[in-house]
Amino acid sequence: MAMLTLGFVSMAVFAGTEILPGDVAEAVLGQNATPEAVAGLRHALHLDYPAHIRYFLWLIGIFSGDAGRSLANNLPVTELIASRLPNSLMLASVTAVVSVPIALTLGISSAIWRGSFFDRAASFLTMSVVAMPEFLIATLAVIIFAVNLRWFPALSYAAGMVSINQFFNQFALPVFTLSCVLIALMMRMTRAAVIDTLRSPYIEMAVLKGARPIRLVLTHALPNAIGPIANAVALSLSYLLGGTVVVEIVFGYPGLARLLVDAVSNRDMPVVQACVMIVCSAYLFLVILADIAGVLSNPRLRYR
Amino acid sequence: MAPVVKVEGLRVTARDGRGQQNVIVNDVSFEVNSGEIIALIGESGSGKTTIALSLMGYARSGTRIAGGKVTFDRREILSLTQRELSSLRGRDIAYVPQSAAASFNPAKPLLKQVIESSQIHRVMAPAEARAKAVSLFRELGLPNPELLGTRFPHQVSGGQLQRLLAAMALVTDPKLIIFDEPTTALDVTTQIEVLRVFKKAIKERGRTAVYVSHDLAVVAQMADRIIVLRDGAIQEVNATQYILTAPKSDYTRTLLAAAEPQARAVTRQASGTAAASVIEVKNIVAGYGARDREGFPAVPILRDVSLAIRPGTTLGVIGESGSGKSTLARVIAGLLPAARGEVQLNGVALPKSAAARTRDQLRRIQIVFQMADTALNPARPIGRILGRPLEFYHGLRGARRARRVAELLEMVRLPATMAERYPGELSGGQKQRINLARALAAEPSLILCDEVTSALDTVVGAAILDLLVELQRELGIAYLFISHDLSTVKAICDEVMILYAGQIMEHGTRGALCQRPLHPYSELLISSVPELRQGWLEGISETVLKEASGGIVRRAGAACSFFERCSLRIPGRCDVEPTPLRRFSKGADIRCQRTETELIELAAQRDANEISGRPEISEPRDFGPGRGAQLIAW
């Protein structure tokens, strides 16, 4: 199933890059190139083959472990990815470690005290954050923390991490920006999932057994909400690999998303394909993890 | 001695969709004395559950306890804080809800949930609570008491869950237990045992209980005193025997009359026998799961079921849950293609799957489901819900369609203005009428009625049954009427088929089901229906109890499915050989190894044993040849 999804996505991406006007030869040689030069480069890059042949060539390459070379600068795709993927993974994991616990705590406590001042305040805040464009948050963060307060550097290169201090300095602003949006999303979905299970008859039964609100949520509602919560978390986190373009550009962070965007503008098909495959696999991996969590938390699926 | 509970002038209001406050319980006052079981009885909307919940100071969302006084154990319940209420609930007052399956947390093992209240209120150490729970399991007749607690709710049957709820209520030794329709969702056979253990557990401990129910016959077994409610107000309060024998209020009399079974179907004489069947089902095998090499499904639900229905007649299908009743309807409708066998419509074999049937074939068979609510799209007005089949099957549009919608509403005795309203604005009975109208819109030859009155109150359900009979007389439609309720089937069906674990046990005319010899399973079903007299529950014979307590066991092959529970079984024969379906002289087919004379003799013997074994029964039933007359009363 997962393999099928990957295959379908790769075809969609390939078709997408085909539809875009222009190709890598025009992009590399620029506007003043002669038609002969463009044709020559196309021939050299096998771009004059029909589209389906090129797709199958790429597919054969992938299956034999060769992702091909970048059409734009002739570097092996694996090398390009290898230079960016660890950065992206690092940013993603730090953000996940920061945002998931905060989001779950906020979501669950909002559900416990739903309708209270705390819940309303949290709702208002998260709604505002979700409504705010990411680049605005990033820019505001730079203006406040880097320019005015001078706490952190405005750019983060993710290179040469030596001390905890440096590490913190590098990641503080990008992680803060990404966390804002993620926490808001995950918190709202957690709250909705828990409140949804709070409407079940067994919750009323627990109330009539004398259970207090905290017990209701933690021992009765939460175990039944793990499935939907895990899915919400997986969906949010999958965004951390491919969807961080804005943050990477604002902070000059050398991650996967920027590589992908550059490759698209160069019509650099092998690089685009490789990046998309990685993002897609990460997404599938997270969703499978979420499903496993859902099954483990549900005795009806665990014991038949 | 002061009463345990004293309710004075209780008033509960509910906010409706427009934000207005409606009074749903008005000025209700009563007392419950120590050691007494008091019943709150009434139809849905009578406020019985609302009143029961207010005894715990609890109001469901949307409702509010607006006034009055509830005194429990010298404490004023309605003025307590949430924290004080929590410390009372589950410790001093326990609640046993209707739907056991929904009331258990699916993610937690049973024992944890059973002893939870004792842990919340810290009345005993965990180990002590566990030991107590296990002894309660044993007392309530639950199988495997030591290990049962480690299981999860979905692994246990409905009757067992209901008893587990009772254990949950009893674990803290509360002063008051509230039972809210605890057996309504159960099969009659399961109900007997649950009622017996409940009554024993309450009486032995001398507990005080409030028993909420709509079923007068069940209440007659349980309660010392009955409060009759209607529209949130008390109609009558009296000791059970007086309510049953000398009701004072007119409403109580109506309830008693509705509980008495009455025949609705017009008896059609032999004239119909010559008419060709509208539907004929031949040797159907159907089920779920993978098919083996011979096309037999892994989980067979229906095994070799055949039936025929003539135009304008009704065939009732009856059996416990899990007997395959609904599966039969799904096979006929083509929703579940049969693995083997054939469904014929007017003599022509139908494709097995609905997708392969022609539009006209689809039109002729319609279904009405049990859940009137979920079968109607809440976002569409009634006019569009009924207009859709008119357009699909008959190509009606515009004014002609509107006229036909009005006619259909007229047919189901609803005003034409109903077309503009939405399902959410309708009552349960009205919704079921709309479902019926939707089926009629197709102008079918056969309507499959799957438990159409089970979710409705007795009085409302009776009106729907009357409507079905009238429509049949006017339009000559045939019905396949599925129900778990014998008296309903009895009221409207010309023929009755008794299904057990997917096998036909008995199939005959309505009259034949009132006469012996009966199939042992038919006998069990009939004697499991509560009778409207006190002492019925205590007078049930051991044989019935033993047969009633077994669950459905599916067997492979053509041997008798009822073998495990049957008191007349012949080991080595019934469980090995294919069971013959024999024509009996009373006009019914019975699937049993026993012959007609054997069944008559054995039944007479059994009855004789019962009488000699139980001399204390005050009204010995008339057995032997006279039993036929007795049975007609169910």
Side-chain angles (χ1 to χ4, degrees), chain A residues 197-214:
Chain A
T197 50
L198 281 175
R199 293 202 187 96
S200 319
Y202 53 79
I203 298 292
E204 179 174 83
M205 186 63 224
V207 172
L208 295 176
K209 281 200 270 183
R212 310 272 313 145
I214 294 181

Side-chain angles (χ1 to χ4, degrees), chain A residues 102-103 106-107 110 118-132 137 179-189 191:
Chain A
I102 297 181
L106 281 177
S110 297
F118 169 77
D119 180 33
R120 280 156 209 249
S123 274
F124 174 77
L125 215 71
T126 50
M127 288 296 264
S128 330
V129 172
V130 170
M132 226 189 290
I137 299 179
S179 294
C180 275
V181 180
L182 281 186
I183 288 174
L185 281 175
M186 284 191 283
M187 180 239 154
R188 292 203 65 79
M189 289 197 265
R191 178 180 178 275

Side-chain angles (χ1 to χ4, degrees), chain B residues 152-169:
Chain B
F152 285 90
H154 71 279
Q155 299 170 309
V156 175
S157 78
Q160 292 173 2
L161 280 180
Q162 207 67 54
R163 277 177 277 168
L164 282 161
L165 278 179
M168 185 147 98

